[in-house]
Amino acid sequence: MVDGTVSSDVAIGREMYGWARELFPVRRSLTGEGVRDTLRYLARIVPGLTMHEVPSGTSAFDWTVPDEWVLRDAFIADGEGNRIVDVNRNILHVVGYSKSVDAVMTRAELEPHLHCIPDMPDAIPYITKYYELGWGFCLAQRQRDALGEGPFHVVIDSVHSKGSLSYADIVLPGRETREIMLASYVCHPGMANNELSGPVVLAALGRWLSARQDRRFTYRLLFGPETIGAIVYLSKHLEQLRSSVDAGFVLTCVGDQRAWSLLQSPRADTLADRVAKHVLVARGVDFKTYDFLERGSDERQYCSPHVDLPVCSVMRSKYGTYPEYHTSLDDLSLVTAAGLAESFSVYREMIEVLEANETYIATQPCEPQLGRRGLYPGTGTRSSSFSVSTLADLLAFADGSRDLIALAERIGRSAIDCAKTAADLVAAGLLDSVPSSTGTGHSQRKEPI
Amino acid sequence: MVDGTVSSDVAIGREMYGWARELFPVRRSLTGEGVRDTLRYLARIVPGLTMHEVPSGTSAFDWTVPDEWVLRDAFIADGEGNRIVDVNRNILHVVGYSKSVDAVMTRAELEPHLHCIPDMPDAIPYITKYYELGWGFCLAQRQRDALGEGPFHVVIDSVHSKGSLSYADIVLPGRETREIMLASYVCHPGMANNELSGPVVLAALGRWLSARQDRRFTYRLLFGPETIGAIVYLSKHLEQLRSSVDAGFVLTCVGDQRAWSLLQSPRADTLADRVAKHVLVARGVDFKTYDFLERGSDERQYCSPHVDLPVCSVMRSKYGTYPEYHTSLDDLSLVTAAGLAESFSVYREMIEVLEANETYIATQPCEPQLGRRGLYPGTGTRSSSFSVSTLADLLAFADGSRDLIALAERIGRSAIDCAKTAADLVAAGLLDSVPSSTGTGHSQRKEPI
Amino acid sequence: MVDGTVSSDVAIGREMYGWARELFPVRRSLTGEGVRDTLRYLARIVPGLTMHEVPSGTSAFDWTVPDEWVLRDAFIADGEGNRIVDVNRNILHVVGYSKSVDAVMTRAELEPHLHCIPDMPDAIPYITKYYELGWGFCLAQRQRDALGEGPFHVVIDSVHSKGSLSYADIVLPGRETREIMLASYVCHPGMANNELSGPVVLAALGRWLSARQDRRFTYRLLFGPETIGAIVYLSKHLEQLRSSVDAGFVLTCVGDQRAWSLLQSPRADTLADRVAKHVLVARGVDFKTYDFLERGSDERQYCSPHVDLPVCSVMRSKYGTYPEYHTSLDDLSLVTAAGLAESFSVYREMIEVLEANETYIATQPCEPQLGRRGLYPGTGTRSSSFSVSTLADLLAFADGSRDLIALAERIGRSAIDCAKTAADLVAAGLLDSVPSSTGTGHSQRKEPI
């Protein structure tokens, strides 16, 4: 367990794992009832989380909200009517957004519509064809090898119809209007690390943030379908987000315990990147840093030109890097209560550091007389004249040029520890926080188009 | 052969080698008929190349155009009148700009006027005394050892007389008035890598540039004597060059195949340096980078304080680094058609990259729907969601802050490849080029004095 | 001996060692007659050095000038009246600022007031309790082991009374009002490297600077008690120092020959840091660089927020890093005449470089014709066209963007050598110095509060 994960986190980990177990069987897709069921479930955890519907056909930048896809049934049956591939056994068996088919066909006719992973004989791949009209089945190589020659009864009973794209958000106001954005996505069916871990950790953070007495930042939480959900959301809120978001994070692949990963923003030095890196380093976590060239989730939209939000992503095993990724093997045996709890703890610490990330300045020239204030040993001994404490170092470097993260890094200590010492020094009248400038997320923000 | 050198370059290589063979025997010096013959020859290759004459005695900054030096004959004869050292056998035998002498002298009297390279017994050194009135002979150590005691008849029949300094230039206009400057020098007699390779490669580039249908940049080509030629040219065109040149290159030592060298500008990060470095790296060429402290050719003037042009030099074996340098052994056996062709190819690619070096910006927020446009596979498969193509990376990073070279380097690809993809994206309406600011050669250009 | 230490420095080294020997027995403390005797002694070396008195109780920022402490006697006697610990044998035996005591006590009663270093059985530690009312004795572990059980007659005869804090300063005016500040401290009793080496080297520098015919900078020298002395001085001169000091140095621990140390300013790149680093590197000295986190002397005040002077410290064995530090073993056997002489020589070279640290610019475009001026060999030989001298490199890089230190580093030579060549070039009319901007100490100085 990562240093800093406290015992109450164990309970939260178990709770999150329970939510994932209940949400696992829900048939999610880009749109539709599965998404709405998932959002309704999450709204019971995060009070005030509000669902929004955007009608099919609505334009969003270069995109159009697609029709809803309702899947009633899908199977491949043998000559005797036995369902040898059946979507009721695993939702991944049908290619997402497949059109209807009802035909008897030979093995040769069926073949072009089958998808397997030859070197993972037990894994059903996850495949979607959102923007192309076709159909297909996904199955384990072992199943495919045992299919026989047919003829097969091949049925996909689906409907594409006008409906809406669903997402849910909540804005938790703080003392400042500057925002921290936290987003995850709810369109992946039948998989756990990618992606139920993100929504459940985000829900736990949302519950914790709503309960928090005093928030410095305003927090914006978003759950929607990946890509089109982010694009639709940005098309509605771009100017607000561009002018308010100081840091944002995409929560995805935060459920296993095998690795820590940091997918950086394109600039790699935004406030989001800085706090993520600082907390991972300060906790002594062994993590891999990925350039934005290895992006793969909604940061693709949040960090695109003209959007340019300070967004990064702290993950465990990153999408695309672990063998079970986008297959039926990415299930609830991969994700653990402890893994979820550690991720929750890291994100919570990142938020705590952001809350305390003031720019500090000493209140007077020269060192204060700490001895007189009981903050320093009064005896000049052999060692005290050259060993200097966190407290003295904070005062020595608090010249109003650095935020807490930079100050902590300058003096070689963790921001979360410095936050406490800084609070003591503020209470003693020795330190002050400089009024924060707006828009600290980017140093070189471009003007909106 | 360097990757990117195409078969037609082989023909150009043979052609350039042919020019070098014809120009090799011409008796060049700082000034005079040899220089003019050489410039007339080059003007037949580059249509429109224009010769200019600057009278002896003309001031140019700290310098004065010297008199012309006409060498009629020079030899050392033995007692029987045999010419044992004869300028008709090798022009290097006489020290450049020697005054006349006609005397019978002993070996001891002759000795102070003889120049050899003891550890290269077959090499005649190249020596000039442009700004000092004296005389001397250069010969191989082996010749010197066999001289005997004399007496010798020593004759140099030369005249220093008012005349002119000759150079030739051409300005090929482009869509923009911003300039790319390409310069070489034509004062070296009897040597090949340093220096006939520069003039012949520059002539081939000039012919190619004049024939080019559409030029973005204006190109300025210059052939003149080294040092004094560059100084005279700068004294006449300084303000024009300072306000217009975005990148410039000194072409010298581009004929052998033993090495690649980059002599950087003093700042090392001008557009000229950047494109040279990028192209050499992208082609996988193994090259050595030299700091401006190791300068030695006309960049000494082009990059001097108050001139400060963005000029560097891509070379093969750099002057001063190869054993045959400034001796009679730097001949046409050192320079090859393939070596010249590779140099031509590298400079041509540098020019192509400069022509395409726009600053690009995506036309809209968020990723475009590439699938709908046939630019991207529509099927969300196990790998496609995280492998991103050059196209997607270009779009993701084209935020209007980087020129093509920087964009290509940011996404880890070659600028010449990115240029093609960028053109496709511009055609598809997904990418736009930001109007170029003038004077991109330097980020921190100083004002002229 | 460090390269650059000349033979006359040997004499100065012996002289400085003599001063240290005479000052060693003086009973210094934060305040009082010992400090004043020391300052009077130094004023005989540095003509014009002026003593100032600041009354007890005066406020200085967060501090108050303490009462003077007069120690009349202090000893521990055995039952027969033998003084087994006696301040007359070593001033370090009594804890600094101890209050009076006169009592007969058992070993057990005495124990809490005894201070030793168990693993250095022969060393008497140096301890003070300036801001806490108590008393104590310091003794060697070996003495403590031999004490016996008592009873002991324990006497400290001391008085704390209104008086003053004493310091001495001198301002040596230069052609410019920009200042170089040099400070050391005179409150340490009975120790040599830390601290008599600083005052004696500073006195030697002061004498040398006063005798100097022509000073570019104004020099400010300060001797006072550590910490409270610097704070009091800053409280009186803050605005003057902030607006005038271009570089400052704390002279401390400059007497032994075992190491060289550089304690950097918080920014690590002020003019003070740059000249110190350059001179140490250029002299080929093997030195250790310390971050400001390892500060320990008056730079703690000079570099504090709102003071922010460009101050660093070149030392030999740094306080806190050598075994004898703050014990009776830091005596005159540790400090050597040669060590003091080398330190003097390094500081003097730093000052010479600062005096010559103009920003140079060539007077005309292009290389000047050095041959014509007798500054360059006129013969173009095999090597001269590419080997370039310090002179040519200075001219090539003197574009008005760099001070002498940066210019020397750019061309890979020592600033002290470049200063001489630059003077030649100025005399020849080829180089000019750009009028210095005021306040070159910091690039990013903050406004005073």
Side-chain angles (χ1 to χ4, degrees):
Chain A
M1 192 165 290
V2 177
D3 173 45
T5 307
V6 292
S7 63
S8 67
D9 291 350
V10 175
I12 295 171
R14 286 205 200 100
E15 226 180 339
M16 289 188 286
Y17 191 84
W19 302 338
R21 201 162 39 205
E22 293 193 282
L23 286 168
F24 192 80
V26 178
R27 289 186 175 182
R28 278 170 296 278
S29 181
L30 267 202
T31 56
E33 213 45 39
V35 173
R36 284 184 285 269
D37 285 346
T38 301
L39 295 176
R40 278 182 211 111
Y41 185 96
L42 296 168
R44 289 199 295 273
I45 301 166
V46 186
L49 186 69
T50 307
M51 201 147 77
H52 304 271
E53 303 292 336
V54 180
S56 302
T58 304
S59 285
F61 300 127
D62 200 46
W63 299 66
T64 306
V65 172
D67 287 349
E68 284 195 29
W69 176 63
V70 181
L71 178 69
R72 297 205 196 96
D73 200 2
F75 61 87
I76 302 172
D78 64 16
E80 286 135 46
N82 299 314
R83 292 184 166 208
I84 50 186
V85 175
D86 186 349
V87 78
N88 294 308
R89 258 175 265 142
N90 194 313
I91 179 63
L92 300 185
H93 274 315
V94 68
V95 167
Y97 268 66
S98 282
K99 65 178 180 182
S100 281
V101 60
D102 185 345
V104 174
M105 45 181 82
T106 63
R107 172 74 184 262
E109 288 167 327
L110 180 56
E111 270 295 320
H113 298 278
L114 299 184
H115 304 275
C116 293
I117 306 168
D119 60 356
M120 294 180 73
D122 294 313
I124 307 166
Y126 168 53
I127 298 183
T128 62
K129 300 203 180 196
Y130 292 140
Y131 301 101
E132 184 187 338
L133 212 55
W135 64 271
F137 282 90
C138 301
L139 66 172
Q141 183 66 41
R142 236 182 265 289
Q143 285 178 290
R144 186 178 197 163
D145 293 343
L147 269 187
E149 287 310 305
F152 302 100
H153 186 198
V154 177
V155 172
I156 296 179
D157 181 5
S158 71
V159 178
H160 293 80
S161 59
K162 296 292 165 206
S164 62
L165 177 149
S166 313
Y167 69 84
D169 70 353
I170 184 171
V171 175
L172 300 166
R175 295 195 310 277
E176 300 185 14
T177 56
R178 309 297 315 156
E179 291 191 11
I180 307 297
M181 185 175 86
L182 300 158
S184 191
Y185 49 101
V186 292
C187 55
H188 279 47
M191 291 169 295
N193 191 46
N194 175 233
E195 193 58 80
L196 269 178
S197 63
V200 303
V201 171
L202 181 52
L205 287 167
R207 186 178 64 176
W208 170 70
L209 282 165
S210 341
R212 199 184 165 95
Q213 289 306 319
D214 182 47
R215 290 180 294 263
R216 173 184 167 201
F217 284 103
T218 294
Y219 290 82
R220 179 183 296 264
L221 277 64
L222 171 63
F223 300 85
E226 205 181 10
T227 306
I228 184 69
I231 292 168
V232 163
Y233 197 78
L234 286 168
S235 75
K236 296 164 87 78
H237 300 285
L238 183 57
E239 288 317 309
Q240 166 65 17
L241 296 174
R242 278 185 58 88
S243 62
S244 302
V245 172
D246 269 11
F249 305 93
V250 175
L251 283 91
T252 173
C253 298
V254 287
D256 75 339
Q257 291 180 273
R258 295 179 290 185
W260 286 97
S261 312
L262 169 61
L263 187 280
Q264 299 177 112
S265 79
R267 300 170 193 269
D269 65 351
T270 69
L271 181 58
D273 297 278
R274 292 174 58 229
V275 72
K277 232 169 287 183
H278 180 86
V279 166
L280 292 172
V281 168
R283 290 170 82 117
V285 158
D286 180 25
F287 67 101
K288 184 165 176 187
T289 302
Y290 293 90
D291 186 81
F292 191 69
L293 285 173
E294 311 200 53
R295 70 200 178 279
S297 185
D298 282 336
E299 66 281 351
R300 284 156 42 208
Q301 316 313 325
Y302 298 135
C303 300
S304 64
H306 307 300
V307 179
D308 194 22
L309 297 178
V311 167
C312 71
S313 193
V314 172
M315 292 168 274
R316 308 304 304 261
S317 294
K318 178 180 175 286
Y319 41 78
T321 68
Y322 56 98
E324 304 86 354
Y325 169 70
H326 269 200
T327 76
S328 57
L329 303 184
D330 182 353
D331 62 19
L332 288 166
S333 69
L334 215 65
V335 164
T336 65
L340 295 166
E342 289 163 6
S343 297
F344 173 80
S345 169
V346 163
Y347 271 99
R348 187 182 50 195
E349 183 171 328
M350 284 159 54
I351 290 169
E352 294 285 17
V353 170
L354 286 170
E355 289 276 310
N357 193 43
E358 307 276 358
T359 294
Y360 290 103
I361 189 162
T363 52
Q364 59 187 336
C366 295
E367 293 180 327
Q369 199 187 344
L370 298 179
R372 175 161 68 80
R373 291 189 163 83
L375 294 169
Y376 200 60
T379 311
T381 67
R382 196 159 174 268
S383 59
S384 74
S385 68
F386 60 93
S387 92
V388 276
S389 65
T390 299
L391 193 141
D393 284 346
L394 269 182
L395 284 171
F397 286 93
D399 62 0
S401 72
R402 295 176 183 89
D403 63 12
L404 182 74
I405 297 169
L407 187 53
E409 293 182 349
R410 181 62 184 84
I411 70 172
R413 290 174 173 91
S414 81
I416 202 79
D417 289 346
C418 287
K420 296 185 189 97
T421 306
D424 290 348
L425 287 169
V426 169
L430 296 177
L431 205 61
D432 219 340
S433 64
V434 174
S436 71
S437 59
T438 54
T440 60
H442 280 312
S443 44
Q444 16 173 355
R445 152 96 56 191
K446 295 291 175 314
E447 282 314 292
I449 45 172
Chain B
M1 194 164 290
V2 176
D3 174 45
T5 307
V6 292
S7 62
S8 68
D9 290 351
V10 174
I12 295 171
R14 286 204 201 101
E15 226 180 338
M16 290 187 287
Y17 191 83
W19 303 338
R21 203 164 35 206
E22 294 192 280
L23 287 168
F24 192 80
V26 178
R27 288 186 175 182
R28 277 171 294 279
S29 181
L30 266 202
T31 55
E33 212 46 38
V35 173
R36 284 185 285 268
D37 286 344
T38 302
L39 295 176
R40 279 182 211 112
Y41 184 98
L42 296 168
R44 289 198 295 272
I45 301 166
V46 186
L49 186 69
T50 306
M51 200 146 76
H52 305 270
E53 304 293 335
V54 181
S56 301
T58 305
S59 283
F61 301 127
D62 200 45
W63 300 65
T64 305
V65 172
D67 287 348
E68 284 194 31
W69 176 64
V70 181
L71 178 70
R72 297 204 196 99
D73 200 3
F75 61 86
I76 303 172
D78 63 15
E80 287 134 46
N82 299 313
R83 292 185 167 208
I84 49 184
V85 175
D86 185 351
V87 78
N88 294 307
R89 258 176 263 143
N90 195 314
I91 180 64
L92 301 184
H93 273 315
V94 68
V95 168
Y97 269 65
S98 281
K99 65 179 179 182
S100 282
V101 59
D102 185 345
V104 174
M105 45 181 82
T106 63
R107 173 73 185 264
E109 288 166 327
L110 180 57
E111 269 296 318
H113 299 279
L114 299 183
H115 304 275
C116 295
I117 307 169
D119 58 357
M120 294 180 72
D122 295 313
I124 307 165
Y126 168 53
I127 298 184
T128 62
K129 298 202 181 196
Y130 293 140
Y131 301 101
E132 182 186 338
L133 213 55
W135 62 271
F137 284 89
C138 301
L139 66 171
Q141 182 66 40
R142 237 184 265 288
Q143 286 178 287
R144 187 178 195 160
D145 292 344
L147 269 187
E149 287 310 305
F152 301 101
H153 186 198
V154 178
V155 172
I156 297 179
D157 181 5
S158 71
V159 178
H160 293 81
S161 59
K162 295 294 163 204
S164 62
L165 178 149
S166 314
Y167 68 84
D169 70 353
I170 183 171
V171 176
L172 299 167
R175 295 195 310 278
E176 301 185 13
T177 57
R178 309 297 315 154
E179 290 189 13
I180 307 297
M181 183 174 88
L182 300 159
S184 191
Y185 49 100
V186 292
C187 54
H188 279 49
M191 291 170 292
N193 192 46
N194 177 230
E195 195 60 77
L196 270 177
S197 63
V200 301
V201 171
L202 181 52
L205 288 167
R207 186 178 63 175
W208 169 70
L209 281 165
S210 335
R212 199 183 165 95
Q213 289 306 319
D214 181 49
R215 290 181 292 264
R216 174 184 167 201
F217 283 104
T218 295
Y219 289 82
R220 180 184 296 264
L221 276 64
L222 172 63
F223 301 85
E226 206 180 11
T227 305
I228 184 70
I231 291 169
V232 163
Y233 197 79
L234 286 167
S235 75
K236 295 164 87 75
H237 300 284
L238 183 58
E239 288 316 308
Q240 165 66 15
L241 296 175
R242 278 185 58 89
S243 62
S244 301
V245 173
D246 269 10
F249 306 94
V250 175
L251 282 91
T252 172
C253 298
V254 287
D256 75 338
Q257 290 182 274
R258 296 178 290 186
W260 286 97
S261 311
L262 169 61
L263 188 279
Q264 301 177 112
S265 79
R267 301 170 192 268
D269 66 350
T270 69
L271 181 57
D273 297 279
R274 291 174 59 230
V275 72
K277 232 170 286 182
H278 180 87
V279 166
L280 292 172
V281 168
R283 289 171 82 117
V285 158
D286 181 25
F287 66 102
K288 184 163 175 187
T289 302
Y290 292 91
D291 187 80
F292 191 70
L293 285 174
E294 312 200 52
R295 68 199 178 281
S297 185
D298 281 338
E299 66 281 352
R300 284 156 41 207
Q301 316 311 327
Y302 298 136
C303 302
S304 65
H306 307 300
V307 179
D308 194 22
L309 297 179
V311 167
C312 71
S313 194
V314 172
M315 291 167 275
R316 308 304 304 260
S317 293
K318 178 180 174 288
Y319 41 77
T321 69
Y322 58 98
E324 303 86 355
Y325 170 70
H326 269 199
T327 77
S328 56
L329 302 185
D330 182 352
D331 61 19
L332 288 167
S333 69
L334 215 66
V335 164
T336 65
L340 294 167
E342 291 164 4
S343 297
F344 174 80
S345 170
V346 163
Y347 270 98
R348 187 183 49 195
E349 182 170 328
M350 284 159 54
I351 290 169
E352 294 284 18
V353 169
L354 287 170
E355 288 277 311
N357 193 42
E358 307 275 357
T359 295
Y360 291 104
I361 188 162
T363 51
Q364 57 186 337
C366 294
E367 291 179 329
Q369 200 188 342
L370 297 179
R372 176 160 67 79
R373 290 189 164 83
L375 293 169
Y376 199 59
T379 311
T381 66
R382 195 159 174 270
S383 59
S384 74
S385 68
F386 61 91
S387 91
V388 276
S389 63
T390 300
L391 193 142
D393 285 347
L394 269 182
L395 284 171
F397 286 93
D399 62 0
S401 74
R402 295 177 184 87
D403 63 11
L404 182 75
I405 297 169
L407 186 54
E409 292 183 349
R410 181 62 184 85
I411 70 172
R413 290 174 175 91
S414 82
I416 202 79
D417 290 346
C418 287
K420 296 183 189 99
T421 306
D424 291 347
L425 288 169
V426 169
L430 296 177
L431 206 60
D432 219 341
S433 66
V434 174
S436 71
S437 59
T438 55
T440 59
H442 281 312
S443 45
Q444 16 172 357
R445 153 94 60 187
K446 295 294 172 314
E447 281 314 292
I449 46 172
Chain C
M1 193 166 290
V2 177
D3 173 46
T5 307
V6 291
S7 63
S8 68
D9 291 351
V10 175
I12 295 172
R14 286 205 201 101
E15 225 180 340
M16 290 188 286
Y17 190 83
W19 302 338
R21 201 165 36 206
E22 293 193 282
L23 286 168
F24 193 80
V26 177
R27 289 187 175 182
R28 278 171 294 279
S29 181
L30 266 202
T31 56
E33 213 44 39
V35 173
R36 284 184 286 268
D37 286 345
T38 302
L39 294 175
R40 277 180 214 114
Y41 185 96
L42 295 168
R44 287 198 295 273
I45 301 165
V46 186
L49 186 69
T50 307
M51 200 149 76
H52 305 270
E53 303 293 335
V54 181
S56 303
T58 305
S59 284
F61 301 127
D62 200 45
W63 299 65
T64 304
V65 172
D67 286 349
E68 285 194 31
W69 176 65
V70 181
L71 178 68
R72 296 204 197 98
D73 200 4
F75 62 85
I76 303 173
D78 63 15
E80 287 135 45
N82 299 312
R83 291 182 167 210
I84 48 185
V85 175
D86 185 350
V87 78
N88 294 308
R89 258 174 265 143
N90 194 314
I91 180 64
L92 300 185
H93 274 315
V94 68
V95 168
Y97 268 66
S98 281
K99 65 179 180 183
S100 282
V101 59
D102 184 346
V104 174
M105 45 181 82
T106 63
R107 172 75 184 260
E109 288 167 327
L110 180 58
E111 269 295 320
H113 298 279
L114 299 184
H115 305 275
C116 294
I117 307 168
D119 59 357
M120 294 179 73
D122 294 313
I124 307 165
Y126 167 54
I127 298 183
T128 63
K129 299 203 180 195
Y130 293 139
Y131 300 102
E132 183 186 337
L133 213 53
W135 62 272
F137 283 89
C138 302
L139 65 172
Q141 182 66 40
R142 235 183 268 286
Q143 285 179 288
R144 187 179 196 159
D145 294 343
L147 268 187
E149 286 312 303
F152 302 99
H153 185 199
V154 177
V155 171
I156 296 179
D157 180 5
S158 70
V159 179
H160 293 80
S161 59
K162 295 292 164 205
S164 61
L165 177 148
S166 314
Y167 68 84
D169 69 356
I170 184 172
V171 175
L172 299 166
R175 294 194 310 277
E176 300 185 14
T177 58
R178 309 296 316 156
E179 289 190 13
I180 308 297
M181 184 175 87
L182 301 159
S184 190
Y185 49 100
V186 292
C187 55
H188 280 48
M191 290 170 294
N193 192 46
N194 176 229
E195 195 58 76
L196 268 179
S197 62
V200 300
V201 172
L202 181 51
L205 287 168
R207 186 179 61 175
W208 169 71
L209 281 165
S210 340
R212 197 184 167 94
Q213 289 306 320
D214 182 49
R215 288 181 294 262
R216 173 184 168 200
F217 284 104
T218 294
Y219 289 83
R220 180 183 296 265
L221 277 65
L222 172 62
F223 302 84
E226 205 180 11
T227 304
I228 184 69
I231 291 168
V232 163
Y233 197 78
L234 285 168
S235 75
K236 295 164 88 77
H237 301 284
L238 184 56
E239 288 316 309
Q240 165 66 14
L241 296 174
R242 279 185 58 89
S243 62
S244 302
V245 173
D246 269 10
F249 306 93
V250 175
L251 283 91
T252 172
C253 298
V254 287
D256 74 340
Q257 290 181 273
R258 295 179 291 185
W260 286 98
S261 313
L262 169 61
L263 189 278
Q264 300 178 111
S265 79
R267 301 170 192 269
D269 66 351
T270 69
L271 180 58
D273 298 278
R274 291 174 59 230
V275 73
K277 233 170 287 183
H278 180 88
V279 166
L280 291 172
V281 168
R283 289 171 82 116
V285 159
D286 181 26
F287 66 101
K288 185 165 176 186
T289 302
Y290 293 90
D291 187 81
F292 191 70
L293 285 173
E294 312 199 54
R295 69 199 177 280
S297 184
D298 281 337
E299 66 280 352
R300 285 155 42 208
Q301 316 312 325
Y302 298 135
C303 301
S304 64
H306 307 300
V307 179
D308 194 22
L309 297 178
V311 167
C312 72
S313 194
V314 172
M315 291 167 274
R316 309 304 305 260
S317 294
K318 177 180 175 286
Y319 41 78
T321 68
Y322 57 98
E324 304 85 352
Y325 170 70
H326 269 198
T327 78
S328 56
L329 303 184
D330 182 352
D331 60 19
L332 287 167
S333 68
L334 214 65
V335 164
T336 66
L340 295 167
E342 290 163 4
S343 298
F344 173 80
S345 170
V346 163
Y347 270 99
R348 186 183 49 194
E349 182 171 328
M350 284 159 54
I351 290 169
E352 294 284 18
V353 169
L354 287 170
E355 288 277 310
N357 193 42
E358 308 276 357
T359 295
Y360 290 104
I361 188 162
T363 51
Q364 56 187 339
C366 294
E367 292 180 328
Q369 200 187 343
L370 298 179
R372 175 160 67 80
R373 291 190 163 81
L375 293 168
Y376 199 59
T379 311
T381 67
R382 194 158 175 270
S383 60
S384 74
S385 69
F386 61 93
S387 92
V388 275
S389 65
T390 300
L391 192 143
D393 284 347
L394 269 182
L395 284 172
F397 286 94
D399 61 0
S401 73
R402 296 177 182 87
D403 62 12
L404 182 75
I405 297 169
L407 187 54
E409 293 183 348
R410 180 63 183 84
I411 69 172
R413 289 174 175 90
S414 81
I416 201 78
D417 290 345
C418 287
K420 296 185 190 96
T421 306
D424 291 346
L425 288 169
V426 168
L430 297 176
L431 206 61
D432 219 341
S433 65
V434 175
S436 71
S437 59
T438 54
T440 59
H442 280 311
S443 44
Q444 16 172 355
R445 153 100 53 193
K446 295 293 176 312
E447 281 312 294
I449 45 170

